[in-house]
Amino acid sequence: MKILIIFILLLTTSFVVSQEKYITKKGIIKFEASVPSFEEVKAKNSTVTAILNADNGEFAALALMKGFRFKNALMEEHFNENYVESDDYPKATFKGKLIDFDKNNFKGKYSIKGILTLHGKSKDLVVTGTLNKENNIISISSSFKTKPEDFNIKIPGIVSKKIAKDILVSLNFDLQKK
């Protein structure tokens, strides 16, 4: 009986270890919420961690909210203190899986279904984008729109006309084989 348990543990461990994973700690997420005739509202985070399991299409990403950089330091301060409340909600995460994943095809359009968690709220998403593999690097890019109210982010009336109702989010990840 002990031999059977050890064999099962070894078999399970070898499956886990043999999974082909790709990772980055330098992924890029940008968002833009600009409105014509007002100051540009956009930011970029170049320190996003992401991982793709190339055997089953599972994908996860983590962005620290204080990693978003704006042109205007005051806007960055307001973003962290008044809107996303980075001290209380320090990160955004996405966990999902590529739809109709084929581990033998890493080129072309894809859709991924998952859950985006931001500001303590989670939302189901289906995002489309492009996927490409060259050598040992898998590139993923996508963009989608979301709304601040989807994540209980309150926009004060005094600035509501200066911030777009739909926020455009774009991402680019170059994941290397782990």
Side-chain angles (χ1 to χ4, degrees):
M1 185 66 168
K2 286 183 183 180
I3 292 173
L4 180 61
I5 292 172
I6 290 171
F7 177 73
I8 291 171
L9 286 173
L10 286 173
L11 187 61
T12 305
T13 304
S14 68
F15 281 122
V16 172
V17 172
S18 68
Q19 290 180 347
E20 194 171 327
K21 295 194 177 162
Y22 288 75
I23 190 167
T24 186
K25 293 182 181 179
K26 296 179 182 177
I28 298 171
I29 295 178
K30 298 177 187 177
F31 74 81
E32 181 155 7
S34 300
V35 175
S37 303
F38 289 104
E39 187 174 8
E40 181 179 76
V41 179
K42 70 180 191 178
K44 177 180 176 181
N45 186 333
S46 300
T47 58
V48 180
T49 300
I51 188 166
L52 171 68
N53 182 328
D55 288 330
N56 62 17
E58 291 177 345
F59 178 81
L62 178 132
L64 296 177
M65 299 313 292
K66 288 189 178 180
F68 283 96
R69 298 292 173 244
F70 293 75
K71 282 184 183 177
N72 179 326
L74 184 59
M75 194 176 289
E76 188 171 314
E77 183 179 328
H78 286 254
F79 170 79
N80 284 300
E81 291 178 7
N82 303 331
Y83 299 105
V84 296
E85 302 172 284
S86 298
D87 288 338
D88 295 330
Y89 308 103
K91 62 187 175 184
T93 60
F94 179 84
K95 294 179 186 175
K97 187 169 184 175
L98 281 99
I99 298 171
D100 299 325
F101 176 71
D102 177 0
K103 71 178 186 177
N104 298 312
N105 184 14
F106 286 97
K107 271 198 183 322
K109 300 231 179 258
Y110 74 92
S111 293
I112 186 169
K113 182 178 182 179
I115 299 171
L116 175 61
T117 302
L118 169 68
H119 198 250
K121 296 292 175 186
S122 296
K123 180 182 179 187
D124 291 331
L125 284 179
V126 176
V127 177
T128 58
T130 58
L131 185 70
N132 189 38
K133 182 178 181 183
E134 285 189 32
N135 301 320
N136 283 329
I137 297 176
I138 295 176
S139 298
I140 297 175
S141 62
S142 179
S143 64
F144 62 94
K145 290 184 179 180
T146 191
K147 299 177 182 303
E149 59 264 20
D150 290 344
F151 300 97
N152 276 356
I153 297 172
K154 308 236 184 306
I155 308 296
I158 195 164
V159 294
S160 65
K161 295 200 184 308
K162 297 178 181 182
I163 298 174
K165 303 266 186 253
D166 291 319
I167 312 298
L168 178 62
V169 180
S170 62
L171 56 93
N172 290 293
F173 299 123
D174 289 328
L175 302 119
Q176 295 185 336
K177 192 171 182 179
K178 185 176 176 190

PDB file of all heavy atoms in Angstrom, residues 75 77-86 89 119 148 151-156 158-160 163:
ATOM      1  N   MET A  75      -1.640  63.491 -10.903  1.00  0.00           N
ATOM      2  CA  MET A  75      -2.650  62.556 -11.400  1.00  0.00           C
ATOM      3  C   MET A  75      -2.353  61.147 -10.866  1.00  0.00           C
ATOM      4  O   MET A  75      -3.272  60.414 -10.473  1.00  0.00           O
ATOM      5  CB  MET A  75      -2.661  62.563 -12.926  1.00  0.00           C
ATOM      6  CG  MET A  75      -3.870  61.908 -13.523  1.00  0.00           C
ATOM      7  SD  MET A  75      -3.894  62.041 -15.323  1.00  0.00           S
ATOM      8  CE  MET A  75      -4.223  63.783 -15.548  1.00  0.00           C
ATOM      9  N   GLU A  77      -0.822  60.431  -8.084  1.00  0.00           N
ATOM     10  CA  GLU A  77      -1.157  60.451  -6.655  1.00  0.00           C
ATOM     11  C   GLU A  77      -2.671  60.299  -6.452  1.00  0.00           C
ATOM     12  O   GLU A  77      -3.118  59.500  -5.622  1.00  0.00           O
ATOM     13  CB  GLU A  77      -0.670  61.762  -6.034  1.00  0.00           C
ATOM     14  CG  GLU A  77      -0.903  61.856  -4.552  1.00  0.00           C
ATOM     15  CD  GLU A  77      -0.377  63.171  -3.974  1.00  0.00           C
ATOM     16  OE1 GLU A  77       0.630  63.700  -4.488  1.00  0.00           O
ATOM     17  OE2 GLU A  77      -0.990  63.658  -3.001  1.00  0.00           O
ATOM     18  N   HIS A  78      -3.455  61.034  -7.232  1.00  0.00           N
ATOM     19  CA  HIS A  78      -4.921  60.938  -7.133  1.00  0.00           C
ATOM     20  C   HIS A  78      -5.397  59.536  -7.506  1.00  0.00           C
ATOM     21  O   HIS A  78      -6.298  58.991  -6.853  1.00  0.00           O
ATOM     22  CB  HIS A  78      -5.611  61.974  -8.029  1.00  0.00           C
ATOM     23  CG  HIS A  78      -5.533  63.358  -7.481  1.00  0.00           C
ATOM     24  ND1 HIS A  78      -6.602  63.998  -6.922  1.00  0.00           N
ATOM     25  CD2 HIS A  78      -4.491  64.223  -7.408  1.00  0.00           C
ATOM     26  CE1 HIS A  78      -6.234  65.197  -6.518  1.00  0.00           C
ATOM     27  NE2 HIS A  78      -4.950  65.357  -6.807  1.00  0.00           N
ATOM     28  N   PHE A  79      -4.808  58.967  -8.544  1.00  0.00           N
ATOM     29  CA  PHE A  79      -5.155  57.610  -8.975  1.00  0.00           C
ATOM     30  C   PHE A  79      -4.967  56.631  -7.825  1.00  0.00           C
ATOM     31  O   PHE A  79      -5.862  55.838  -7.520  1.00  0.00           O
ATOM     32  CB  PHE A  79      -4.269  57.221 -10.168  1.00  0.00           C
ATOM     33  CG  PHE A  79      -4.350  55.776 -10.574  1.00  0.00           C
ATOM     34  CD1 PHE A  79      -5.420  55.314 -11.333  1.00  0.00           C
ATOM     35  CD2 PHE A  79      -3.353  54.877 -10.219  1.00  0.00           C
ATOM     36  CE1 PHE A  79      -5.488  53.980 -11.722  1.00  0.00           C
ATOM     37  CE2 PHE A  79      -3.416  53.546 -10.603  1.00  0.00           C
ATOM     38  CZ  PHE A  79      -4.485  53.094 -11.354  1.00  0.00           C
ATOM     39  N   ASN A  80      -3.811  56.686  -7.171  1.00  0.00           N
ATOM     40  CA  ASN A  80      -3.499  55.741  -6.091  1.00  0.00           C
ATOM     41  C   ASN A  80      -4.276  56.008  -4.805  1.00  0.00           C
ATOM     42  O   ASN A  80      -4.713  55.076  -4.139  1.00  0.00           O
ATOM     43  CB  ASN A  80      -1.995  55.748  -5.796  1.00  0.00           C
ATOM     44  CG  ASN A  80      -1.231  54.987  -6.846  1.00  0.00           C
ATOM     45  OD1 ASN A  80      -1.450  53.807  -7.060  1.00  0.00           O
ATOM     46  ND2 ASN A  80      -0.341  55.688  -7.532  1.00  0.00           N
ATOM     47  N   GLU A  81      -4.477  57.278  -4.463  1.00  0.00           N
ATOM     48  CA  GLU A  81      -5.117  57.604  -3.186  1.00  0.00           C
ATOM     49  C   GLU A  81      -6.643  57.666  -3.263  1.00  0.00           C
ATOM     50  O   GLU A  81      -7.330  57.179  -2.366  1.00  0.00           O
ATOM     51  CB  GLU A  81      -4.576  58.931  -2.650  1.00  0.00           C
ATOM     52  CG  GLU A  81      -3.122  58.834  -2.205  1.00  0.00           C
ATOM     53  CD  GLU A  81      -2.567  60.159  -1.705  1.00  0.00           C
ATOM     54  OE1 GLU A  81      -3.335  61.143  -1.576  1.00  0.00           O
ATOM     55  OE2 GLU A  81      -1.348  60.200  -1.452  1.00  0.00           O
ATOM     56  N   ASN A  82      -7.176  58.259  -4.321  1.00  0.00           N
ATOM     57  CA  ASN A  82      -8.606  58.537  -4.369  1.00  0.00           C
ATOM     58  C   ASN A  82      -9.430  57.567  -5.214  1.00  0.00           C
ATOM     59  O   ASN A  82     -10.634  57.437  -4.983  1.00  0.00           O
ATOM     60  CB  ASN A  82      -8.850  59.954  -4.913  1.00  0.00           C
ATOM     61  CG  ASN A  82      -8.138  61.005  -4.083  1.00  0.00           C
ATOM     62  OD1 ASN A  82      -7.919  60.831  -2.899  1.00  0.00           O
ATOM     63  ND2 ASN A  82      -7.751  62.091  -4.720  1.00  0.00           N
ATOM     64  N   TYR A  83      -8.828  56.949  -6.200  1.00  0.00           N
ATOM     65  CA  TYR A  83      -9.606  56.114  -7.116  1.00  0.00           C
ATOM     66  C   TYR A  83      -9.404  54.621  -6.846  1.00  0.00           C
ATOM     67  O   TYR A  83     -10.327  53.944  -6.428  1.00  0.00           O
ATOM     68  CB  TYR A  83      -9.293  56.467  -8.575  1.00  0.00           C
ATOM     69  CG  TYR A  83      -9.650  57.904  -8.880  1.00  0.00           C
ATOM     70  CD1 TYR A  83      -8.670  58.880  -9.016  1.00  0.00           C
ATOM     71  CD2 TYR A  83     -10.976  58.296  -9.001  1.00  0.00           C
ATOM     72  CE1 TYR A  83      -8.997  60.198  -9.276  1.00  0.00           C
ATOM     73  CE2 TYR A  83     -11.325  59.613  -9.260  1.00  0.00           C
ATOM     74  CZ  TYR A  83     -10.326  60.567  -9.390  1.00  0.00           C
ATOM     75  OH  TYR A  83     -10.658  61.865  -9.632  1.00  0.00           O
ATOM     76  N   VAL A  84      -8.202  54.102  -7.101  1.00  0.00           N
ATOM     77  CA  VAL A  84      -7.992  52.661  -6.901  1.00  0.00           C
ATOM     78  C   VAL A  84      -7.585  52.326  -5.467  1.00  0.00           C
ATOM     79  O   VAL A  84      -7.531  51.156  -5.117  1.00  0.00           O
ATOM     80  CB  VAL A  84      -6.969  52.066  -7.903  1.00  0.00           C
ATOM     81  CG1 VAL A  84      -7.482  52.163  -9.314  1.00  0.00           C
ATOM     82  CG2 VAL A  84      -5.609  52.678  -7.750  1.00  0.00           C
ATOM     83  N   GLU A  85      -7.312  53.340  -4.653  1.00  0.00           N
ATOM     84  CA  GLU A  85      -6.985  53.144  -3.235  1.00  0.00           C
ATOM     85  C   GLU A  85      -5.931  52.038  -3.062  1.00  0.00           C
ATOM     86  O   GLU A  85      -6.162  51.010  -2.448  1.00  0.00           O
ATOM     87  CB  GLU A  85      -8.248  52.822  -2.435  1.00  0.00           C
ATOM     88  CG  GLU A  85      -9.299  53.914  -2.553  1.00  0.00           C
ATOM     89  CD  GLU A  85     -10.624  53.533  -1.935  1.00  0.00           C
ATOM     90  OE1 GLU A  85     -11.364  52.740  -2.570  1.00  0.00           O
ATOM     91  OE2 GLU A  85     -10.909  54.027  -0.820  1.00  0.00           O
ATOM     92  N   SER A  86      -4.765  52.296  -3.640  1.00  0.00           N
ATOM     93  CA  SER A  86      -3.694  51.303  -3.721  1.00  0.00           C
ATOM     94  C   SER A  86      -3.220  50.759  -2.382  1.00  0.00           C
ATOM     95  O   SER A  86      -2.753  49.622  -2.324  1.00  0.00           O
ATOM     96  CB  SER A  86      -2.492  51.888  -4.471  1.00  0.00           C
ATOM     97  OG  SER A  86      -2.861  52.215  -5.786  1.00  0.00           O
ATOM     98  N   TYR A  89      -6.050  48.232  -1.758  1.00  0.00           N
ATOM     99  CA  TYR A  89      -6.163  47.267  -2.859  1.00  0.00           C
ATOM    100  C   TYR A  89      -4.896  47.365  -3.713  1.00  0.00           C
ATOM    101  O   TYR A  89      -4.903  47.995  -4.769  1.00  0.00           O
ATOM    102  CB  TYR A  89      -7.402  47.574  -3.715  1.00  0.00           C
ATOM    103  CG  TYR A  89      -8.672  47.701  -2.911  1.00  0.00           C
ATOM    104  CD1 TYR A  89      -9.216  48.951  -2.620  1.00  0.00           C
ATOM    105  CD2 TYR A  89      -9.324  46.564  -2.426  1.00  0.00           C
ATOM    106  CE1 TYR A  89     -10.384  49.065  -1.882  1.00  0.00           C
ATOM    107  CE2 TYR A  89     -10.487  46.673  -1.685  1.00  0.00           C
ATOM    108  CZ  TYR A  89     -11.009  47.930  -1.415  1.00  0.00           C
ATOM    109  OH  TYR A  89     -12.165  48.043  -0.684  1.00  0.00           O
ATOM    110  N   HIS A 119      -9.613  46.420  -7.192  1.00  0.00           N
ATOM    111  CA  HIS A 119     -10.293  47.242  -6.199  1.00  0.00           C
ATOM    112  C   HIS A 119     -11.261  46.406  -5.352  1.00  0.00           C
ATOM    113  O   HIS A 119     -12.346  46.848  -4.970  1.00  0.00           O
ATOM    114  CB  HIS A 119     -11.017  48.399  -6.901  1.00  0.00           C
ATOM    115  CG  HIS A 119     -11.373  49.532  -5.979  1.00  0.00           C
ATOM    116  ND1 HIS A 119     -12.679  49.804  -5.631  1.00  0.00           N
ATOM    117  CD2 HIS A 119     -10.612  50.450  -5.333  1.00  0.00           C
ATOM    118  CE1 HIS A 119     -12.716  50.847  -4.827  1.00  0.00           C
ATOM    119  NE2 HIS A 119     -11.466  51.258  -4.625  1.00  0.00           N
ATOM    120  N   PRO A 148     -15.131  52.026 -14.685  1.00  0.00           N
ATOM    121  CA  PRO A 148     -14.749  52.148 -13.267  1.00  0.00           C
ATOM    122  C   PRO A 148     -15.809  51.572 -12.327  1.00  0.00           C
ATOM    123  O   PRO A 148     -15.480  50.909 -11.343  1.00  0.00           O
ATOM    124  CB  PRO A 148     -14.590  53.652 -13.056  1.00  0.00           C
ATOM    125  CG  PRO A 148     -14.333  54.210 -14.413  1.00  0.00           C
ATOM    126  CD  PRO A 148     -15.079  53.315 -15.365  1.00  0.00           C
ATOM    127  N   PHE A 151     -15.903  47.999 -10.924  1.00  0.00           N
ATOM    128  CA  PHE A 151     -15.020  47.641  -9.818  1.00  0.00           C
ATOM    129  C   PHE A 151     -15.211  48.568  -8.613  1.00  0.00           C
ATOM    130  O   PHE A 151     -14.315  48.723  -7.783  1.00  0.00           O
ATOM    131  CB  PHE A 151     -13.565  47.659 -10.295  1.00  0.00           C
ATOM    132  CG  PHE A 151     -13.342  46.685 -11.421  1.00  0.00           C
ATOM    133  CD1 PHE A 151     -13.367  47.111 -12.739  1.00  0.00           C
ATOM    134  CD2 PHE A 151     -13.174  45.337 -11.160  1.00  0.00           C
ATOM    135  CE1 PHE A 151     -13.194  46.205 -13.779  1.00  0.00           C
ATOM    136  CE2 PHE A 151     -13.009  44.425 -12.188  1.00  0.00           C
ATOM    137  CZ  PHE A 151     -13.012  44.858 -13.499  1.00  0.00           C
ATOM    138  N   ASN A 152     -16.383  49.180  -8.536  1.00  0.00           N
ATOM    139  CA  ASN A 152     -16.712  50.104  -7.430  1.00  0.00           C
ATOM    140  C   ASN A 152     -15.704  51.235  -7.281  1.00  0.00           C
ATOM    141  O   ASN A 152     -15.425  51.681  -6.170  1.00  0.00           O
ATOM    142  CB  ASN A 152     -16.867  49.359  -6.107  1.00  0.00           C
ATOM    143  CG  ASN A 152     -18.249  48.779  -5.944  1.00  0.00           C
ATOM    144  OD1 ASN A 152     -19.125  48.976  -6.772  1.00  0.00           O
ATOM    145  ND2 ASN A 152     -18.440  48.037  -4.874  1.00  0.00           N
ATOM    146  N   ILE A 153     -15.171  51.707  -8.395  1.00  0.00           N
ATOM    147  CA  ILE A 153     -14.284  52.865  -8.370  1.00  0.00           C
ATOM    148  C   ILE A 153     -15.160  54.084  -8.621  1.00  0.00           C
ATOM    149  O   ILE A 153     -15.797  54.197  -9.670  1.00  0.00           O
ATOM    150  CB  ILE A 153     -13.165  52.742  -9.418  1.00  0.00           C
ATOM    151  CG1 ILE A 153     -12.285  51.528  -9.083  1.00  0.00           C
ATOM    152  CG2 ILE A 153     -12.344  54.026  -9.476  1.00  0.00           C
ATOM    153  CD1 ILE A 153     -11.260  51.187 -10.124  1.00  0.00           C
ATOM    154  N   LYS A 154     -15.209  54.944  -7.658  1.00  0.00           N
ATOM    155  CA  LYS A 154     -16.085  56.113  -7.718  1.00  0.00           C
ATOM    156  C   LYS A 154     -15.334  57.298  -8.348  1.00  0.00           C
ATOM    157  O   LYS A 154     -14.233  57.632  -7.937  1.00  0.00           O
ATOM    158  CB  LYS A 154     -16.558  56.477  -6.319  1.00  0.00           C
ATOM    159  CG  LYS A 154     -17.176  55.285  -5.574  1.00  0.00           C
ATOM    160  CD  LYS A 154     -18.553  55.546  -5.102  1.00  0.00           C
ATOM    161  CE  LYS A 154     -19.152  54.444  -4.289  1.00  0.00           C
ATOM    162  NZ  LYS A 154     -19.176  53.135  -4.815  1.00  0.00           N
ATOM    163  N   ILE A 155     -15.976  57.911  -9.326  1.00  0.00           N
ATOM    164  CA  ILE A 155     -15.430  59.098  -9.979  1.00  0.00           C
ATOM    165  C   ILE A 155     -16.263  60.289  -9.497  1.00  0.00           C
ATOM    166  O   ILE A 155     -17.463  60.357  -9.785  1.00  0.00           O
ATOM    167  CB  ILE A 155     -15.503  58.993 -11.518  1.00  0.00           C
ATOM    168  CG1 ILE A 155     -14.885  57.688 -12.021  1.00  0.00           C
ATOM    169  CG2 ILE A 155     -14.860  60.216 -12.173  1.00  0.00           C
ATOM    170  CD1 ILE A 155     -13.409  57.522 -11.757  1.00  0.00           C
ATOM    171  N   PRO A 156     -15.644  61.215  -8.754  1.00  0.00           N
ATOM    172  CA  PRO A 156     -16.399  62.372  -8.249  1.00  0.00           C
ATOM    173  C   PRO A 156     -17.004  63.197  -9.391  1.00  0.00           C
ATOM    174  O   PRO A 156     -16.410  63.322 -10.464  1.00  0.00           O
ATOM    175  CB  PRO A 156     -15.345  63.199  -7.499  1.00  0.00           C
ATOM    176  CG  PRO A 156     -14.210  62.262  -7.246  1.00  0.00           C
ATOM    177  CD  PRO A 156     -14.245  61.252  -8.347  1.00  0.00           C
ATOM    178  N   ILE A 158     -17.244  66.249  -9.920  1.00  0.00           N
ATOM    179  CA  ILE A 158     -16.471  67.408 -10.365  1.00  0.00           C
ATOM    180  C   ILE A 158     -15.483  67.061 -11.484  1.00  0.00           C
ATOM    181  O   ILE A 158     -15.155  67.900 -12.307  1.00  0.00           O
ATOM    182  CB  ILE A 158     -15.761  68.087  -9.168  1.00  0.00           C
ATOM    183  CG1 ILE A 158     -15.275  69.472  -9.546  1.00  0.00           C
ATOM    184  CG2 ILE A 158     -14.633  67.227  -8.639  1.00  0.00           C
ATOM    185  CD1 ILE A 158     -14.918  70.336  -8.360  1.00  0.00           C
ATOM    186  N   VAL A 159     -15.026  65.804 -11.546  1.00  0.00           N
ATOM    187  CA  VAL A 159     -14.083  65.403 -12.593  1.00  0.00           C
ATOM    188  C   VAL A 159     -14.681  64.370 -13.557  1.00  0.00           C
ATOM    189  O   VAL A 159     -14.013  63.928 -14.490  1.00  0.00           O
ATOM    190  CB  VAL A 159     -12.766  64.836 -12.000  1.00  0.00           C
ATOM    191  CG1 VAL A 159     -11.998  65.900 -11.258  1.00  0.00           C
ATOM    192  CG2 VAL A 159     -13.019  63.623 -11.154  1.00  0.00           C
ATOM    193  N   SER A 160     -15.933  64.003 -13.364  1.00  0.00           N
ATOM    194  CA  SER A 160     -16.528  62.928 -14.169  1.00  0.00           C
ATOM    195  C   SER A 160     -16.546  63.221 -15.672  1.00  0.00           C
ATOM    196  O   SER A 160     -16.456  62.311 -16.482  1.00  0.00           O
ATOM    197  CB  SER A 160     -17.927  62.596 -13.676  1.00  0.00           C
ATOM    198  OG  SER A 160     -18.790  63.687 -13.876  1.00  0.00           O
ATOM    199  N   ILE A 163     -13.064  62.311 -17.406  1.00  0.00           N
ATOM    200  CA  ILE A 163     -12.626  60.917 -17.444  1.00  0.00           C
ATOM    201  C   ILE A 163     -13.642  60.114 -18.261  1.00  0.00           C
ATOM    202  O   ILE A 163     -14.845  60.197 -18.022  1.00  0.00           O
ATOM    203  CB  ILE A 163     -12.496  60.332 -16.020  1.00  0.00           C
ATOM    204  CG1 ILE A 163     -11.440  61.120 -15.237  1.00  0.00           C
ATOM    205  CG2 ILE A 163     -12.144  58.845 -16.071  1.00  0.00           C
ATOM    206  CD1 ILE A 163     -11.320  60.732 -13.790  1.00  0.00           C
TER     207      ILE A 163
END
